[in-house]
Amino acid sequence: MRLQVATRHAIFSVLELASQPDRQMSAVDIAEKYSISPNHLAKVLRTLGREGIVDAARGVGGGYRFVGNPKRLTLFDIIAIFEPIGPTTGGIEAGDDTSEGQALRLVMNEIEDTARATLSSITIDTMLKIARRSSAPKPSERRSVSR
């Protein structure tokens, strides 16, 4: 599964802001950390603001702040804002009317259902915990530091 650029920007922003919910950050600060376009990120943050996930304060010292519930907000909630996820409901493609085509569509829909269930079970709080574990020094790095 490959996420669209806006979706990745949204997930990075939510994780960054949710890691310190009392702190406000500018779109530029978030963009610099993830090496992404601040202009594109600003559009993503406005969308997250309309959805009630972040709050924006204008002016000097302004920025964005996470206002969601990290234990209830899931990856699926964020992804669903920016891109469609779900069973294939598009038009009929070549081969769909064959038994093989119908079998392929059935399997693809099952894969989509599994992806949806997995993304719905992972909260922002869980992602923050995974990120903290991922940034912890590896045992080989710890040894070299202690010498």
Side-chain angles (χ1 to χ4, degrees), residues 67-115:
V67 293
N69 182 339
K71 293 186 177 186
R72 297 192 63 90
L73 185 65
T74 67
L75 285 178
F76 180 81
D77 296 332
I78 297 170
I79 294 169
I81 294 169
F82 294 94
E83 54 191 272
I85 297 178
T88 305
T89 57
I92 295 180
E93 297 181 33
D96 279 355
D97 57 346
T98 65
S99 60
E100 292 83 2
Q102 292 171 3
L104 179 60
R105 183 171 284 242
L106 179 68
V107 169
M108 296 308 294
N109 285 341
E110 287 181 15
I111 291 170
E112 292 283 343
D113 289 345
T114 301

Side-chain angles (χ1 to χ4, degrees), residues 27-75:
V28 171
D29 290 339
I30 297 169
E32 283 180 9
K33 178 173 180 177
Y34 296 98
S35 302
I36 57 181
S37 161
N39 291 334
H40 191 201
L41 181 60
K43 293 175 187 172
V44 167
L45 288 166
R46 279 194 295 275
T47 300
L48 291 172
R50 283 194 300 270
E51 295 294 326
I53 296 171
V54 300
D55 190 29
R58 293 178 182 246
V60 177
Y64 295 90
R65 186 172 59 88
F66 180 72
V67 293
N69 182 339
K71 293 186 177 186
R72 297 192 63 90
L73 185 65
T74 67
L75 285 178

